[in-house]
Amino acid sequence: MSDRFKAIHMKEQPAEERKKNFLEVPCGYTEEEAVLEANRCLQCKNAPCIEGCPVSIDIRSFIGHIQKREFDKAVNKIYEADILPCVTGRVCPQESQCQAKCVLNNKGDAVSIGSLERYVADRDLERRREALKGEPVKISGKTKVAVIGSGPAGIACAADLGKYGYDVTIFEAFHKAGGVLVYGIPEFRLPKDIVDVEIRSLVQTGVKLVTNVLTGRSFTIDELMAEGYKAVFVGSGAGLPQFMKLPGENLNNVYSANEFLTRVNLMKAHRYPEYDTPVKYGKNCAVIGGGNVALDVARTALRLGSENVYLIYRRTQEEMPARLEEVRHALEEGIQLLALTNPVAYHGDEAGFLQKIECVKMELGEPDESGRRRPVLVEGSNFFIEADVCVVSIGSTPNPLIAMTSPLIETTKWGTIKVDEKGMTTMPGVFAGGDIVTGAATVITAMGAGRTAAASMHEYLQNKKD
Amino acid sequence: MMYKIIEKYSLAPQIEYARIKAPMISKNAEPGQFLIVVACEKSERIPLTIADFDREEESVSIVFQKMGKGTHKIADFKAGDSFHAVLGPQGNPTEIEGEKHIVMIGGGIGVAPVYPIARKFHENGVHVTSIIGYRGKDFLFWDDKLKAVSDEMIITTNDGSVGHKGFVTDVLKQMIEDKKPIDRVIAIGPPIMMKAVADVTRPHGIATTVSLNSLMVCGMGMCGACRVTVGGETKFTCMDGPEFDAHKVDFEELMQRLGMYKSEEKDMLDEYQGEDNE
């Protein structure tokens, strides 16, 4: 008998095993598990979970379909709002979104909406892989539109524009499409063959994909417009990695999270020397930060072979912005959390390689603007951590290239692109969404912004015709 | 997208030339910019300065030295082969800033990117003096091309087999001593040479620009592998450069960072050359 108030958790690879491989940690539901978990859902009339979803997936209906074992109907219900459920089922912070609103929280565990989403989406993968064997659709639309960036925002925007009947081209700067899904999120959280299916499915629908072009250098937005693109969506992502301007930060083996993860996820450094790109992980690897990216880095280092992986975070575990599941997984795997700790300097050997990190202890003071208690330095608490590799994972600032080369596009003081409520920038016909507008956020919000912009672009182009 | 090699040959020992069909790159390429090339699916992303471009033929050219596995692999390419990926043009182009007399300095492989920059100045009526250094006469390449776009040209070799025996800096020092007019020096070559040039011009307050060859992964400002300290601030070579004020560059740090993967580079090359011999 199942307990209505106790969630059924997906089976997971044991920590001792998984920390030595790059395979996914949760193994997914069986059909019986999915139906049992779905049956815990009360099908609330007002469905508060939907309010918690940034793209308003009709959660109640899709779970209702699972209760009746109507799995195709369930996944199609999700597709109405979210074209990447395989991805979002895995990477959304459900505990602070849909699941946070579940009424079962009052008595026990929320319905595992994310796991159910993943179950029906994965179930549909076989059909989608089969469909990829067919001929790609030829788009009949004559109006050309451009999408810059092939991450979650760009994929969602391009997919909708294709459905509206436009001749859509995605321009991607890397040699492989997918944006953060490819270079950022590790294999053990999001298998790359799933991303591959998503991209190939999009191309199958007739969307054109051009890789290796950096907008702002290969061409400007003005040039795109001059070449006949009637509207442009900019979804170029968060961009420049932040550093802390500390002494010794440019020593060898001090990385940004973006570089470390790109070397592994995009360039496959974990399969060096089969792949040519190396990465240093060290005997003792320190990671600075407390978000999902920091945890991705820490767990990647562990899997590469670091003996000790330290997560240096200036607040406490409670304030860590990462998904709860990732924090739990990381701690189970043996990541050593050094909370209330902040780096102040890096020290290296004579050849310029990192040897140790000078840190200070912090304590929590008064709450700041974010409502979290502000970490305050404990004077004279300096100490050293032996580390031969350090990865700084404290976020990124927007890449200025597109705004720099498009004088009509205005930016905010934080460097993000200004848009109106419809997602249009200050340059007519140019829309933007995702991290380039909001600063670093989540896959689902970027996807939502891409869809909003696609609808606005359609409206804009229709009005223009009249 | 294909990045087909339309011409490929050796210029000198260990120095190779390749011309690549790339209409989207040649269209907007300017002197001073660079490319990121990926030889095969499993290869590294390698930054290479654009050695030339031809908008009519829709091609860009690279000149590179066989160093690690990646460059050896490209060296083994033949006309008709294709790169897995080529990204560019990247980085800021060289700007003419009202100079009347420019001194272009190229060391070894650096002669290649110097050429289109010298040509740009020459075409704009700037007096171009080129000083180019090689190890010896067998290593000479593109001296003829560069001569055609220079008002004066001096060759130096380490062994004196051609031109002046010694270093490019010897010639530069002499020019300064002779009070020749110099509005700016642009130097491209090994970091140690660029540092030496900076040390020569600094006391005389002569504006000096260098083009840095930092390690790079993304080439688009998102990874920071190419960071370099300039005037006490961290800059990204791919976004803020590749050209910087030579007097402000921390060359020690640049050279240190270039050595970050020395042992991996050696292992990979040994393995690649081992495969060749089987």
Side-chain angles (χ1 to χ4, degrees):
Chain A
M1 261 315 273
S2 73
D3 178 347
R4 169 149 322 249
F5 302 113
K6 218 169 154 13
I8 296 169
H9 295 293
M10 290 182 285
K11 296 213 170 38
E12 292 179 348
Q13 268 201 81
E16 276 313 301
E17 266 172 49
R18 72 186 190 232
K19 70 184 202 188
K20 295 181 208 125
N21 66 51
F22 279 83
L23 301 176
E24 215 178 350
V25 173
C27 313
Y29 280 147
T30 61
E31 183 173 323
E32 285 319 305
E33 286 171 332
V35 174
L36 276 177
E37 181 64 13
N39 281 334
R40 294 179 57 237
C41 172
L42 299 170
Q43 294 285 297
C44 310
K45 212 168 214 165
N46 61 342
C49 47
I50 299 178
E51 281 165 40
C53 174
V55 298
S56 307
I57 295 174
D58 186 347
I59 296 167
R60 184 183 59 178
S61 300
F62 101 73
I63 294 182
H65 287 304
I66 301 177
Q67 291 175 342
K68 291 183 242 162
R69 294 186 194 257
E70 295 167 347
F71 301 109
D72 292 346
K73 282 189 183 165
V75 76
N76 286 331
K77 189 45 82 180
I78 301 177
Y79 288 146
E80 286 172 13
D82 174 357
I83 62 155
L84 302 172
C86 281
V87 176
T88 51
R90 286 172 166 83
V91 305
C92 264
Q94 290 97 0
E95 73 268 8
S96 56
Q97 297 181 349
C98 52
Q99 290 176 201
K101 305 270 181 173
C102 181
V103 295
L104 289 184
N105 281 314
N106 299 329
K107 291 272 181 75
D109 299 336
V111 174
S112 308
I113 302 169
S115 305
L116 290 170
E117 177 187 18
R118 172 179 160 180
Y119 174 74
V120 290
D122 282 3
R123 216 185 139 105
D124 195 38
L125 266 176
E126 248 351 275
R127 179 195 64 79
R128 297 179 59 203
R129 283 208 180 91
E130 209 45 46
L132 286 174
K133 290 178 186 157
E135 280 293 304
V137 176
K138 283 239 159 50
I139 282 210
S140 52
K142 289 198 174 61
T143 309
K144 290 204 298 182
V145 293
V147 170
I148 294 160
S150 64
I155 293 173
C157 186
D160 278 2
L161 289 170
K163 283 182 199 144
Y164 291 129
Y166 294 102
D167 178 0
V168 190
T169 306
I170 301 184
F171 295 100
E172 165 58 42
F174 268 128
H175 57 273
K176 206 165 166 37
V180 73
L181 308 178
V182 164
Y183 74 73
I185 305 175
E187 182 77 25
F188 56 85
R189 276 220 293 141
L190 177 63
K192 297 301 156 246
D193 59 337
I194 290 178
V195 183
D196 190 53
V197 171
E198 301 299 353
I199 299 295
R200 284 168 56 209
S201 302
L202 192 60
V203 172
Q204 181 88 358
T205 63
V207 169
K208 294 173 194 147
L209 173 65
V210 181
T211 50
N212 301 311
V213 283
L214 183 63
T215 308
R217 292 282 191 220
S218 305
F219 47 73
T220 60
I221 291 189
D222 291 338
E223 286 173 288
L224 276 183
M225 300 292 244
E227 274 178 30
Y229 289 91
K230 300 294 178 209
V232 179
F233 174 73
V234 181
S236 53
L240 298 163
Q242 271 185 313
F243 287 93
M244 296 167 75
K245 298 193 164 80
L246 299 180
E249 208 164 37
N250 292 345
L251 282 169
N252 290 356
N253 296 0
V254 179
Y255 287 104
S256 75
N258 274 359
E259 182 186 352
F260 188 83
L261 291 173
T262 299
R263 282 180 179 270
V264 178
N265 299 331
L266 178 74
M267 305 307 292
K268 311 273 178 236
H270 61 303
R271 287 163 69 182
Y272 170 89
E274 182 200 346
Y275 283 75
D276 292 348
T277 303
V279 68
K280 308 269 194 174
Y281 46 89
K283 185 165 177 275
N284 301 306
C285 179
V287 183
I288 317 288
N292 283 319
V293 175
L295 287 172
D296 284 346
V297 170
R299 297 172 68 201
T300 298
L302 193 72
R303 283 158 173 78
L304 288 168
S306 302
E307 286 175 29
N308 291 298
V309 180
Y310 306 109
L311 192 66
I312 299 178
Y313 182 52
R314 62 199 181 121
R315 305 188 205 233
T316 71
Q317 189 181 331
E318 223 166 279
E319 287 87 15
M320 278 170 66
R323 282 179 91 216
L324 282 183
E325 190 187 33
E326 309 312 328
V327 178
R328 174 174 65 80
H329 282 159
L331 296 176
E332 282 170 7
E333 288 163 11
I335 303 292
Q336 300 167 52
L337 175 63
L338 303 177
L340 293 171
T341 304
N342 214 21
V344 290
Y346 299 92
H347 301 272
D349 63 16
E350 278 176 9
F353 284 83
L354 177 70
Q355 266 184 330
K356 55 190 173 183
I357 306 173
E358 188 175 348
C359 292
V360 286
K361 294 307 274 181
M362 308 294 281
E363 57 190 13
L364 292 183
E366 295 300 308
D368 63 12
E369 317 83 62
S370 73
R372 297 181 300 178
R373 291 175 67 192
R374 188 192 301 273
V376 187
L377 172 91
V378 179
E379 288 295 341
S381 62
N382 297 43
F383 68 104
F384 291 95
I385 295 169
E386 300 281 329
D388 38 8
V389 169
C390 180
V391 186
V392 182
S393 317
I394 56 162
S396 49
T397 52
N399 191 312
L401 194 54
I402 288 177
M404 239 163 58
T405 52
S406 313
L408 290 177
I409 296 181
E410 287 177 25
T411 54
T412 66
K413 62 177 171 176
W414 299 281
T416 52
I417 292 180
K418 271 191 202 167
V419 293
D420 61 18
E421 67 281 3
K422 302 210 159 209
M424 188 152 89
T425 67
T426 47
M427 179 171 179
V430 180
F431 297 74
D435 285 3
I436 190 70
V437 169
T438 56
T442 58
V443 168
I444 190 86
T445 50
M447 224 182 63
R451 297 201 71 193
T452 305
S456 304
M457 286 163 87
H458 183 47
E459 191 189 310
Y460 167 84
L461 290 168
Q462 294 228 302
N463 289 343
K464 235 180 118 182
K465 258 187 218 155
D466 298 340
Chain B
M1 177 97 51
M2 291 282 280
Y3 305 93
K4 203 172 185 175
I5 297 175
I6 43 184
E7 199 178 6
K8 167 76 192 31
Y9 50 81
S10 297
L11 286 172
Q14 304 297 316
I15 295 180
E16 302 281 320
Y17 170 85
R19 193 150 60 88
I20 311 160
K21 185 90 174 172
M24 279 182 84
I25 299 174
S26 63
K27 197 176 159 207
N28 280 336
E30 293 291 341
Q33 292 187 296
F34 67 90
L35 307 174
I36 296 268
V37 304
V38 185
C40 308
E41 196 201 335
K42 296 180 180 179
S43 303
E44 285 192 87
R45 294 169 68 87
I46 304 175
L48 292 171
T49 318
I50 295 173
D52 207 354
F53 52 90
D54 189 321
R55 295 202 219 281
E56 258 116 73
E57 285 197 330
E58 302 185 321
S59 69
V60 283
S61 303
I62 50 172
V63 171
F64 58 96
Q65 193 160 6
K66 285 159 70 171
M67 304 272 281
K69 180 179 173 181
T71 42
H72 274 80
K73 224 176 200 173
I74 307 171
D76 289 343
F77 276 168
K78 293 173 183 62
D81 291 339
S82 290
F83 282 88
H84 180 64
V86 181
L87 167 75
Q90 229 317 31
N92 299 293
T94 311
E95 298 294 343
I96 299 175
E97 285 155 4
E99 295 90 348
K100 290 197 173 63
H101 293 87
I102 193 105
V103 174
M104 297 296 312
I105 299 182
I109 190 77
V111 173
V114 154
Y115 165 68
I117 301 173
R119 183 177 62 196
K120 178 174 173 173
F121 277 101
H122 187 73
E123 282 169 359
N124 281 277
V126 181
H127 184 275
V128 178
T129 306
S130 295
I131 310 171
I132 50 178
Y134 302 92
R135 276 160 68 189
K137 90 171 191 309
D138 293 341
F139 293 86
L140 254 63
F141 73 93
W142 281 22
D143 47 316
D144 48 342
K145 282 180 81 148
L146 193 58
K147 194 167 186 177
V149 295
S150 304
D151 296 279
E152 286 173 72
M153 192 172 84
I154 305 101
I155 297 174
T156 72
T157 49
N158 296 6
D159 58 5
S161 49
V162 182
H164 171 89
K165 181 176 188 310
F167 298 110
V168 288
T169 39
D170 302 336
V171 179
L172 180 64
K173 273 183 209 157
Q174 193 59 53
M175 276 184 76
I176 294 171
E177 224 165 83
D178 294 346
K179 303 236 172 346
K180 294 264 180 72
I182 306 174
D183 296 324
R184 176 155 66 129
V185 174
I186 299 180
I188 310 178
I192 193 88
M193 180 208 89
M194 294 193 284
K195 180 177 188 289
V197 169
D199 289 341
V200 168
T201 57
R202 189 179 288 109
H204 303 279
I206 300 169
T208 304
T209 303
V210 286
S211 177
L212 303 185
N213 56 335
S214 319
L215 294 180
M216 222 174 256
V217 180
C218 73
M220 59 185 86
M222 62 74 78
C223 86
C226 64
R227 57 196 200 276
V228 53
T229 301
V230 181
E233 273 180 62
T234 294
K235 298 282 183 191
F236 287 7
T237 301
C238 71
M239 291 294 290
D240 304 311
E243 294 182 356
F244 291 104
D245 179 345
H247 297 149
K248 293 184 176 165
V249 171
D250 183 341
F251 285 102
E252 296 300 329
E253 182 187 274
L254 174 74
M255 288 186 266
Q256 213 167 61
R257 287 184 65 83
L258 284 169
M260 186 157 158
Y261 297 98
K262 226 169 215 161
S263 70
E264 285 85 354
E265 281 159 13
K266 189 184 172 301
D267 290 349
M268 272 199 294
L269 184 58
D270 289 350
E271 175 239 14
Y272 181 68
Q273 292 180 327
E275 273 171 22
D276 267 7
N277 297 336
E278 275 164 18

